[in-house]
Amino acid sequence: MWALRDVRLPSGEVVDVVVDGERIAHLGPGAARGVAEAEDGAGKLLLPAFVDGHVHLDKVLIRDELREHDGTLAGAIEAIHERKRRYTVDDVSTRARSVIEASVLLGTTRLRSHVDVDTIGGLTPLEGVLAAAAECADIAEVRTIAFPQEGLLRDPGSYQLMEAAIEAGADVVGGMPHWEVDEAAQRAHVRLCFDLAERFDRDLDMHVDETDDGGVRTLEMVADEALRRSYLGRVVAGHVCSLAAAPHDYAERVIDKCLRAGISIAANPLTNLVLQGRQDRGLVRRGVTRVGELRAAGVNVLFGQDCVKDGFYPFGRGSMLEVALISAHATHLTSHSDLAFALKAVTEAPARAWRLTDYGLSVGARADLQLLPAPTWEEALRLQPLPEKVWFKGRLVAQNSVRSKLHRAN
Ligand SMILES: [Zn+2]
């Protein structure tokens, strides 16, 4: 048993936290009294460790080996084909591992990674990420989503690979219905994903409508299917860019369906800011989904890192603090309640989408924690400090220290 004395919660309250084994045992003013192993938190900010609910660990860090392309989603997917053919399990696991380690150093201890499942790379991306997850099991929890990046009907053989991926250890069923050639194929894609999820009793986390074309409407297909099968609270839809381009009354109707189906939305503003709006001149669209309306309606919205130096996005370093900051810019988050929402979008919201029951700063929750050298969440968001300490299952797994010095003339 050990304790942290005088740490500040995001609410502003100063408390002690007592950790017993993997769990938070006590939390409150004076709770550390009598605990022999107690360190002074000095009023610094204590947050639950971040959750990255949407990342592609199989593709990370390949950017420098790809040819240049037009900067669009289609351009990136094509440019990656050549590299994907050359993936090996070792290659994928080495890259994935380095981003998992970087993420832990920056305060993230849970990651949910899509892994391409298609006839180009077969199961190599999954096997590589599973190997990295096993190697990093002492510092982070990594789950995988079988993701048919090249489509299901467009890529014959991929459905069988999806089945094999689930049997080989993928946790969640992915999808990408808007990538199919027409509406009938999109519907079939959605049905196939739900069939697979039902058969294996898995949650779904699909890439949905990652386009500025407001006529692309597979989010509604996903919501209808979830409602029809009563697959409630078990579906995440990622990106959902075209919802922003659709007429307002249509968008409101679909948002209501998402709410009723308990669908979480993984808005990934960083990648979509650079991928979308490429054809626009003058007023260039941001390509980000309707975060404000979804939030107002009560839909669970999370922000994910999505990409780390891959074919889609040349930046990213596994920092959910950076993800929250850039997403705040992209979605007009500036008021106090907006900034509290930005924190939720990288903590509680992805935890809820993942259906974690032991997440957060409360008694009984798993002690995945981080201590930040900032007095408040808003200052942490503005100043982007490194966490001084990060704990995973109650064990210290990362430490950072920064020494800065200003040399004045006299
Ligand atoms: Zn993605």
Side-chain angles (χ1 to χ4, degrees):
M1 186 177 290
W2 59 274
L4 272 171
R5 243 183 294 108
D6 293 334
V7 290
R8 196 176 300 272
L9 302 179
S11 63
E13 199 186 347
V14 175
V15 298
D16 299 346
V17 178
V18 181
V19 175
D20 189 7
E22 293 190 1
R23 306 274 154 192
I24 297 176
H26 303 285
L27 189 140
R33 220 169 289 136
V35 179
E37 194 189 327
E39 69 177 272
D40 185 13
K44 291 172 189 167
L45 179 68
L46 186 76
L47 295 180
F50 295 127
V51 178
D52 188 355
H54 185 124
V55 65
H56 295 257
L57 290 172
D58 54 333
K59 294 184 175 107
V60 295
L61 307 175
I62 59 172
R63 156 95 179 169
D64 292 341
E65 299 168 75
L66 306 179
R67 62 170 170 77
E68 291 286 20
H69 58 81
D70 63 3
T72 64
L73 181 74
I77 289 174
E78 252 191 72
I80 290 169
H81 284 173
E82 186 277 327
R83 181 65 180 83
K84 186 152 59 176
R85 271 183 209 106
R86 292 189 286 116
Y87 280 177
T88 65
V89 173
D90 255 16
D91 152 43
V92 174
S93 75
T94 303
R95 289 183 288 99
R97 181 180 172 158
S98 102
V99 170
I100 295 166
E101 289 171 349
S103 301
V104 173
L105 280 164
L106 298 175
T108 297
T109 56
R110 278 166 154 140
L111 302 94
R112 218 160 83 145
S113 174
H114 294 264
V115 291
D116 284 14
V117 175
D118 52 53
T119 58
I120 300 173
L123 296 184
T124 303
L126 171 67
E127 288 164 5
V129 173
L130 285 177
E135 284 165 21
C136 295
D138 60 326
I139 54 170
E141 181 178 356
V142 179
R143 297 289 174 87
T144 52
I145 303 159
F147 171 44
Q149 168 80 86
E150 312 296 332
L152 287 173
L153 288 87
R154 261 177 77 162
D155 183 25
S158 59
Y159 189 74
Q160 290 71 23
L161 284 167
M162 287 285 286
E163 292 173 316
I166 300 294
E167 276 161 1
D171 301 290
V172 176
V173 176
M176 189 160 169
H178 77 278
W179 208 237
E180 303 293 353
V181 293
D182 57 29
E183 230 180 273
Q186 291 169 348
R187 281 186 199 287
H189 183 120
V190 170
R191 278 198 302 271
L192 285 169
C193 293
F194 274 86
D195 286 348
L196 203 56
E198 276 193 333
R199 208 169 98 213
F200 288 91
D201 190 22
R202 300 306 170 95
D203 288 357
L204 284 144
D205 190 336
M206 301 165 85
H207 282 62
V208 176
D209 299 345
E210 196 172 358
T211 166
D212 288 324
D213 180 351
V216 174
R217 297 178 168 187
T218 69
L219 178 61
E220 188 174 22
M221 296 178 195
V222 172
D224 284 340
E225 200 67 21
L227 289 167
R228 198 170 67 75
R229 301 191 193 215
S230 290
Y231 227 65
L232 308 180
R234 300 192 65 177
V235 180
V236 180
H239 300 287
V240 196
C241 310
S242 73
L243 191 66
H248 300 310
D249 57 341
Y250 173 78
E252 275 164 24
R253 217 166 56 237
V254 176
I255 288 171
D256 180 60
K257 286 184 181 183
C258 289
L259 187 67
R260 283 191 282 125
I263 292 176
S264 292
I265 302 293
N268 303 313
L270 285 67
T271 308
N272 291 127
L273 276 173
V274 300
L275 282 183
Q276 314 306 136
R278 286 274 171 175
Q279 272 74 46
D280 292 345
R281 293 289 171 272
L283 274 179
V284 177
R285 282 172 287 181
R286 295 177 180 213
V288 178
T289 193
R290 294 179 183 249
V291 170
E293 289 104 311
L294 288 159
R295 174 187 167 200
V299 175
N300 186 44
V301 179
L302 59 116
F303 297 144
Q305 168 76 74
D306 197 13
C307 302
V308 176
K309 203 186 174 194
D310 61 15
F312 305 87
Y313 183 73
F315 316 115
R317 56 196 176 98
S319 167
M320 296 310 288
L321 201 52
E322 179 177 280
V323 167
L325 181 66
I326 297 175
S327 300
H329 285 76
T331 60
H332 291 125
L333 300 179
T334 54
S335 71
H336 294 303
S337 98
D338 288 343
L339 299 183
F341 169 79
L343 171 60
K344 214 173 143 198
V346 292
T347 53
E348 288 165 38
R352 186 172 147 201
W354 187 331
R355 297 202 294 143
L356 300 173
T357 53
D358 61 351
Y359 182 79
L361 294 176
S362 58
V363 172
R366 203 170 84 184
D368 283 25
L369 306 167
Q370 57 179 321
L371 189 68
L372 287 149
T376 63
W377 158 249
E378 292 187 10
E379 281 298 89
L381 186 59
R382 182 176 76 87
L383 297 168
Q384 300 278 297
L386 297 169
E388 284 184 359
K389 292 187 174 179
V390 183
W391 293 267
F392 172 62
K393 296 183 178 176
R395 192 177 75 82
L396 181 68
V397 291
Q399 270 180 284
N400 294 287
S401 57
V402 178
R403 282 234 311 266
S404 307
K405 194 170 179 186
L406 196 61
H407 296 275
R408 306 299 301 261
N410 44 48

